[in-house]
Structure formats: structure tokens, C-alpha cells
Amino acid sequence: MARRISLKTAVNEAIDQAMQLDPTVIMLGEDIVGGAGAPGEMDAWGGVLGVTKGLYAKHGDRLLDTPLSESAYVGAAIGAACCGMRPIAELMFIDFMGVCFDQIFNQAAKFRYMFGGKAETPVVIRCMVGAGFRAAAQHSQMLTPLFTHIPGLKVVCPSTPYDTKGLLMQSIRDNDPVIFCEHKNLYALEGDVPEAPYAIPFGEANVVREGRDVTIVTYGLMVHRSLEAAATLAKEGIDVEIVDLRTLSPLDIDTVLESVTRTGRLVCVDEASPRCNIATDIAAQVAMHAFKALKAQIEQVAPPHTPVPFSPTLEDLYIPSAAQIAQAVRRTTGGK
């Protein structure tokens, strides 16, 4: 039975149900318990935005508040994964990856390869991504391309509560390290989500809107900006198809190529900086494998190649808007 819940609640529910189903699932992070165990336990905050609120009361010491040392607890989670546990490590903000990146890309990502396929590292590293939260340059980045570049890591960035619960359940069950990216500006988004546990397979993009004139390929918050643009363009007679990648590694390039082959036009939208981001990767692969199907040049919509501004006015200008996406679509169609 489905009911409407927020994306933040979907994250909490997925972790809760995974812990109920599997005693080897544990969670480590800074302030994820947030004062639980002291008087007023039920008021424990549960992380910087309250995502894990209430889980300590249900699962006790399987949730571990850690010191302010990402290198320590992410390393501990990776070690625990090598020893039969299924840890979830909360990196809080993806921007903090610099503190523990060696443990992730030089250790966890390479264990299976280095040990001839015999080693498994079932660790999930959850992190908040994206701008628009007035959190300044060190807490607002979309660093998904950096993790996608690393062989051995799986990278997930859902756009809806339904996808969030299903993909997080799949991430916890997966036997490889997964970087699970939660856009902080989508936490309040509500949608229909089944109460029972379910999993969504990796590497399967979702066509969230069908259309015949142009394909938009994107993920995360930009899915919703693209849907807004598509609604505007429909009034102008431009029919847009939108492909939500959902997982960036593995990447469902087949669905992208099928869509572009039908529409003949491509707009890649990414909140990550424009150099070497997911949009450039998609554009390159389409140019290599479906060039003859293209009726117009490929367009990219991305923020400027600058740090995320703290000024609210500048931050709003920094994030790709529905208007910018619509204008890119118009360029590919010649204003049809």
C-alpha cells in the first residue's frame, strides 16, 4: 500500500526496514544519533537535517555517533564491510569527501579488483549534495562526477521519494561500495511510496516524460526543473522527453541512445560544474554512438565554472533554471 511521504522520510524508512531485515546493517556518522541515550531521547535530532531521527530508539547501538573525523569513521565502515557487516556511513555533505577520499577511491573501490573478485565491500556512503540551501561554497557542491569517474564505485542520485527508498534499499543490499547522493533541496518533496520494502535495480534510467521533439537527460533536482521547462514548452508546441538517469554508475546509456534516436535532439542538464560533468559524458557518448540520428547540435545546461555563491541572489542565478533549460531546448529545435 502506498502513501505520500517526503523524500527525507523515504531515506529514514529505507534504513529502518533494512535494519529490521538484516542484523548486519549498521550506521556510522557525525551526530546521526544526536543526543539520544540522554534524557529527552525521543527528541534526539538525528543528523544535521534530522534524516535519521527516531532510528536510535528502534535499533540502539547499531547507530554509532562518531568523532568529527570523516577519515576515521568512513575508514571504519569500509573495514567493517570487509568483515561481514553492511555499514551505512553518513558523510553529511559530499563536500567533505576530501577528508576521506583515499579510503573511498584508493581502497574500497579497488578491493574487488585487487583480490581477484573474491573481496566484497558492501558499504553505502550517504551524502547530501546540491546548492540552493544557503550553505555556501563548502556545503553546496554537486560532486557526483568525481565519484562517477572512479571504477569500482556505484553512484546513485534519485529525484523522487519512490526512487529514493527503492534505490537505497538496493544500495544496502549491493555487495560493492555505493555513493548514495541525496539532494538537500528535495528532502521536503512528497510522493507515493509503498510501505513494504522494495528495491530498484541499478543501471535502469526512468523516462519520466515521453515526447517526440527533443530529449533532456538529467538527474536529481534538475529532473524537476526539466519537467517545469517541458510544461512551458508544451504550450509552444514543443514536445519534450525527459530521461532521469537515477544511477550515474552504472549508467543506462542504452535508454539515452534509444530516446535520442527517436527525437533527434539532445539537451544535457547537470547541476555539477560544466567541465567534465555528467552532461559532458552523456553528450560525448551520444556524439560517438548516435551522431547520425542528431538533427541539431547537442546543448548543455550547467552552472558557471565557479564556487557556489553564498549570496542568495547569486546562488539562485548559479543553479540552472527551468528558463535556461527551456531556452536550450528552443535552440535545438530552432524555436519550432
Side-chain angles (χ1 to χ4, degrees):
M1 179 179 177
R3 72 265 114 102
R4 291 185 68 81
I5 61 173
S6 69
L7 190 147
K8 183 169 78 171
T9 302
V11 173
N12 186 293
E13 188 168 275
I15 297 170
D16 182 21
Q17 293 181 350
M19 285 186 152
Q20 292 178 39
L21 293 168
D22 187 345
T24 67
V25 177
I26 60 173
M27 188 170 175
L28 303 85
E30 298 164 347
D31 203 32
I32 60 169
V33 172
E41 177 178 299
M42 294 309 296
D43 294 329
W45 185 239
V48 65
L49 292 183
V51 178
T52 54
K53 184 176 177 64
L55 293 180
Y56 181 83
K58 295 180 180 180
H59 303 288
D61 290 340
R62 288 166 65 189
L63 279 83
L64 307 174
D65 261 350
T66 67
L68 299 180
S69 174
E70 286 81 8
S71 58
Y73 72 81
V74 170
I78 292 168
C82 295
C83 296
M85 305 300 287
R86 290 190 175 273
I88 305 165
E90 181 178 287
L91 189 51
M92 194 177 290
F93 297 95
I94 199 171
D95 315 69
F96 300 166
M97 58 167 274
V99 184
C100 55
F101 199 34
D102 180 71
Q103 289 90 328
I104 298 171
F105 94 96
N106 231 6
Q107 306 302 327
K110 295 178 171 58
F111 286 159
R112 183 184 288 276
Y113 180 80
M114 290 170 62
F115 296 105
K118 298 179 181 179
E120 294 181 345
T121 314
V123 61
V124 178
I125 299 173
R126 293 181 43 246
C127 46
M128 289 190 289
V129 299
F133 206 70
R134 314 312 188 208
Q138 295 173 328
H139 304 78
S140 304
Q141 297 168 92
M142 178 63 77
L143 298 178
T144 44
L146 275 70
F147 290 104
T148 305
H149 179 75
I150 308 300
L153 298 179
K154 295 175 180 177
V155 184
V156 181
C157 190
S159 65
T160 67
Y162 177 85
D163 285 357
T164 295
K165 180 178 177 179
L167 288 168
L168 184 51
M169 292 292 288
Q170 177 64 32
S171 299
I172 296 168
R173 296 173 183 176
D174 200 272
N175 289 327
D176 289 313
V178 179
I179 311 299
F180 193 87
C181 303
E182 302 160 16
H183 201 295
K184 59 180 80 73
N185 261 350
L186 292 178
Y187 273 149
L189 177 72
E190 293 189 347
D192 292 335
V193 179
E195 293 184 32
Y198 63 94
I200 297 174
F202 291 161
E204 294 187 7
N206 184 26
V207 179
V208 296
R209 188 185 195 280
E210 295 184 351
R212 62 180 181 275
D213 294 326
V214 59
T215 298
I216 295 177
V217 179
T218 189
Y219 63 97
L221 174 66
M222 292 297 107
V223 171
H224 302 280
R225 297 284 171 92
S226 298
L227 286 167
E228 185 181 343
T232 298
L233 292 162
K235 300 173 184 176
E236 302 171 18
I238 301 174
D239 194 16
V240 176
E241 181 152 298
I242 300 173
V243 178
D244 178 359
L245 293 172
R246 300 202 288 194
T247 65
L248 308 178
S249 186
L251 179 70
D252 183 4
I253 194 62
D254 289 341
T255 294
V256 172
L257 294 174
E258 290 168 7
S259 178
V260 174
T261 299
R262 287 195 305 271
T263 65
R265 297 177 178 89
L266 172 64
V267 175
C268 304
V269 183
D270 194 349
E271 191 183 328
S273 295
R275 296 296 310 280
C276 305
N277 64 8
I278 304 302
T280 60
D281 180 21
I282 295 296
Q285 294 202 51
V286 170
M288 285 189 291
H289 302 298
F291 183 77
K292 293 182 179 179
L294 292 172
K295 302 173 184 176
Q297 70 180 40
I298 298 170
E299 292 284 342
Q300 177 187 191
V301 181
H305 193 52
T306 68
V308 180
F310 176 64
S311 159
T313 302
L314 292 178
E315 185 177 24
D316 291 341
L317 291 172
Y318 172 91
I319 305 169
S321 66
Q324 288 174 299
I325 297 167
Q327 192 56 36
V329 171
R330 293 186 189 103
R331 288 195 295 270
T332 66
T333 60
K336 178 180 172 180

